[in-house]
Amino acid sequence: MVSMLLALGGGAAAAYVLRGHDNAPSAVSWVDVRPEVGGKAIDAVLARHAEAVKRKDLGGWMADVDQRDSGFVQRQRQQFENLTKMPFAELSFERTAQSAPKMAAFLPSQLFDQYHAAVKVVAVTVRHRIDGVDSKPVATPWLAVFGYSQGRWVIAGDGVGKDLPTGEAGQPWDAAGAITVVRNDRVVAVLSADAGGDAGRTLLQLAETGLQQVAAVRPNGWDGKVLLTAVTDRKIFDTYFAESQDRVAQVAAIAVPYYSGVAEWSARPAYATTRVVFNPSELSAPKAELQHDLTHEFTHAAMGPVTGPYTPRWVVEGFAEYVAYKDGKFNAAGIRQALGDIKIDKFPTDKEFYDEPRNYVSGWLACRMIAETYGQAKLVAFYEAFQRLSEVESVAREVLGVGRDQLEQQWRDYVAKQRG
């Protein structure tokens, strides 16, 4: 196949030689790639896509989808059906300016060949608000591949690669199979359609209990409502571990913060909410384990508005464990077994925290010690202070009246006492 690019007016237009068969070109189609021209056409496609979801118009959705790849067509049909089941209060697909070379890295090679280079990856912000859950619009990413076919731009595929923006291909409507949505006043849970009614009811009951446990510690400062994804499609969960696949089996669920803009595409996006995504392998776990996991992740959602780059991992995870285990009773033998031979010396650094699963236990005991010694309100204030201060030393002195060294000594003494 022959492909020719002619630059006119500083690259404002491109000419592609398109073949009707293998022997000779049948037509030359001029594709104007100026943003104000091609961009408007793509904006119109995205607007029609959003309108199709709102109207539950499958024909309108599929009208802008290239029909040549049967597999992609089927995936688009399923995505449309899943989108129409989501309780959106708002939904839009917005083209987001990104550099062409950056986006080209996500272009599947077969689509480049199929469209004779008349194809590009477009950064799309899926801006939405879940009815009854979100107080602010949430931005999630979609890398849409647009190809020029028969005189118009059509959706031809999805971007691929290792460095996809957080949440790309990880939304509940991206599930390969059909979904179902169950809800109560404070939780919207998305499950696979074949999960069964009992699974949905059980999950909602556990989620409601988890939210009550979180509200007992953190009653204000967040929406108090959560979108929970618990589908069996592995890729929805695995998407969030693209660069750390070794950790997937160790994580029961993940709390994902989202912002007013896609974090990787925005300079200073404002925090909007936290979504919770379950590891499919954990959905059959005992109820007590599921209850703990839900409460832990909901705590992350509750603290999302006050969690920043300076909040230590031992505080983030230790606080979530404190809430999840707050009403539990533990004996010295159980704590000794959970800690094993881990050395309690200095608070673990962020870099090393996740390398040792028992750091969750030591972080829990640190937060429990602060709550028991200084009061639960001081523990919450200690967490919140990292919005303004970047070091444990300064936060401990301001909130607790002690320095880091003294706080670590109190922690060591407390752990030794709990071990018996």
Side-chain angles (χ1 to χ4, degrees), residues 202-214 278 282 285-299 320-321 323-325:
T202 298
L203 195 60
L204 283 181
Q205 291 170 357
L206 295 173
E208 184 62 28
T209 299
L211 284 175
Q212 290 172 2
Q213 292 175 320
V214 174
F278 250 91
E282 296 297 315
K287 284 186 179 181
E289 190 174 327
L290 286 174
Q291 184 67 77
H292 168 272
D293 295 340
L294 283 167
T295 305
H296 178 105
E297 300 306 331
F298 289 171
T299 303
E321 290 292 84
V323 177
Y325 284 132

Side-chain angles (χ1 to χ4, degrees), residues 178-180 191-197 199 232:
I179 63 171
T180 187
L191 299 84
S192 294
D194 57 3
T232 56

Side-chain angles (χ1 to χ4, degrees), residues 361-392:
V361 184
S362 67
W364 161 57
L365 290 171
C367 289
R368 188 179 170 193
M369 180 276 293
I370 293 172
E372 291 183 4
T373 304
Y374 299 95
Q376 184 173 278
K378 287 288 188 179
L379 172 60
V380 174
F382 182 81
Y383 191 118
E384 293 176 329
F386 286 99
Q387 295 176 95
R388 299 175 289 100
L389 304 170
S390 61
E391 300 292 339
V392 173

Side-chain angles (χ1 to χ4, degrees), residues 38-50 64 95:
K40 288 182 179 179
I42 289 173
D43 288 342
V45 172
L46 295 174
R48 289 195 296 269
H49 244 40
D64 289 305
R95 182 169 55 93

Side-chain angles (χ1 to χ4, degrees), residues 108-158:
S109 58
Q110 72 272 18
L111 291 181
F112 182 89
D113 296 337
Q114 180 178 330
Y115 286 89
H116 320 301
V119 63
K120 59 182 175 179
V121 178
V122 176
V124 179
T125 296
V126 182
R127 199 174 305 282
H128 63 282
R129 185 167 60 83
I130 300 298
D131 182 49
V133 170
D134 298 328
S135 60
K136 304 172 185 175
V138 178
T140 59
W142 172 30
L143 295 179
V145 179
F146 278 81
Y148 196 79
S149 176
Q150 299 181 341
R152 67 191 187 102
W153 289 102
V154 292
I155 299 174
D158 297 303

Side-chain angles (χ1 to χ4, degrees), residues 26-253:
S26 59
V28 176
S29 177
W30 287 90
V31 184
D32 195 334
V33 297
R34 289 176 297 172
E36 67 270 23
V37 179
K40 288 182 179 179
I42 289 173
D43 288 342
V45 172
L46 295 174
R48 289 195 296 269
H49 244 40
E51 190 63 24
V53 174
K54 295 172 186 176
R55 294 178 176 272
K56 300 188 185 316
D57 177 11
L58 176 60
W61 176 277
M62 297 306 297
D64 289 305
V65 174
D66 193 334
Q67 303 294 306
R68 285 178 286 184
D69 182 341
S70 60
F72 179 65
V73 169
Q74 180 56 38
R75 291 194 298 276
Q76 283 291 295
R77 287 178 177 273
Q78 187 62 71
Q79 186 175 71
F80 170 80
E81 294 297 336
N82 289 345
L83 279 162
T84 59
K85 293 176 182 176
M86 298 295 299
F88 291 118
E90 300 177 26
L91 175 68
S92 65
F93 301 107
E94 303 171 8
R95 182 169 55 93
T96 307
Q98 292 292 295
S99 71
K102 179 180 177 180
M103 290 296 100
F106 300 112
L107 179 64
S109 58
Q110 72 272 18
L111 291 181
F112 182 89
D113 296 337
Q114 180 178 330
Y115 286 89
H116 320 301
V119 63
K120 59 182 175 179
V121 178
V122 176
V124 179
T125 296
V126 182
R127 199 174 305 282
H128 63 282
R129 185 167 60 83
I130 300 298
D131 182 49
V133 170
D134 298 328
S135 60
K136 304 172 185 175
V138 178
T140 59
W142 172 30
L143 295 179
V145 179
F146 278 81
Y148 196 79
S149 176
Q150 299 181 341
R152 67 191 187 102
W153 289 102
V154 292
I155 299 174
D158 297 303
V160 297
K162 290 181 60 179
D163 300 319
L164 297 171
T166 302
E168 163 66 14
Q171 303 308 314
W173 53 83
D174 292 320
I179 63 171
T180 187
V181 176
V182 296
R183 68 178 304 164
N184 59 25
D185 290 342
R186 298 198 289 182
V187 180
V188 171
V190 184
L191 299 84
S192 294
D194 57 3
D198 288 344
R201 284 190 292 273
T202 298
L203 195 60
L204 283 181
Q205 291 170 357
L206 295 173
E208 184 62 28
T209 299
L211 284 175
Q212 290 172 2
Q213 292 175 320
V214 174
V217 179
R218 182 71 170 177
N220 303 308
W222 67 300
D223 288 339
K225 302 175 182 180
V226 177
L227 173 64
L228 169 65
T229 301
V231 297
T232 56
D233 184 356
R234 269 231 74 88
K235 73 174 176 58
I236 300 300
F237 183 74
D238 291 358
T239 292
Y240 299 98
F241 296 88
E243 296 183 357
S244 53
Q245 286 294 313
D246 56 318
R247 285 193 60 219
V248 172
Q250 305 170 10
V251 180

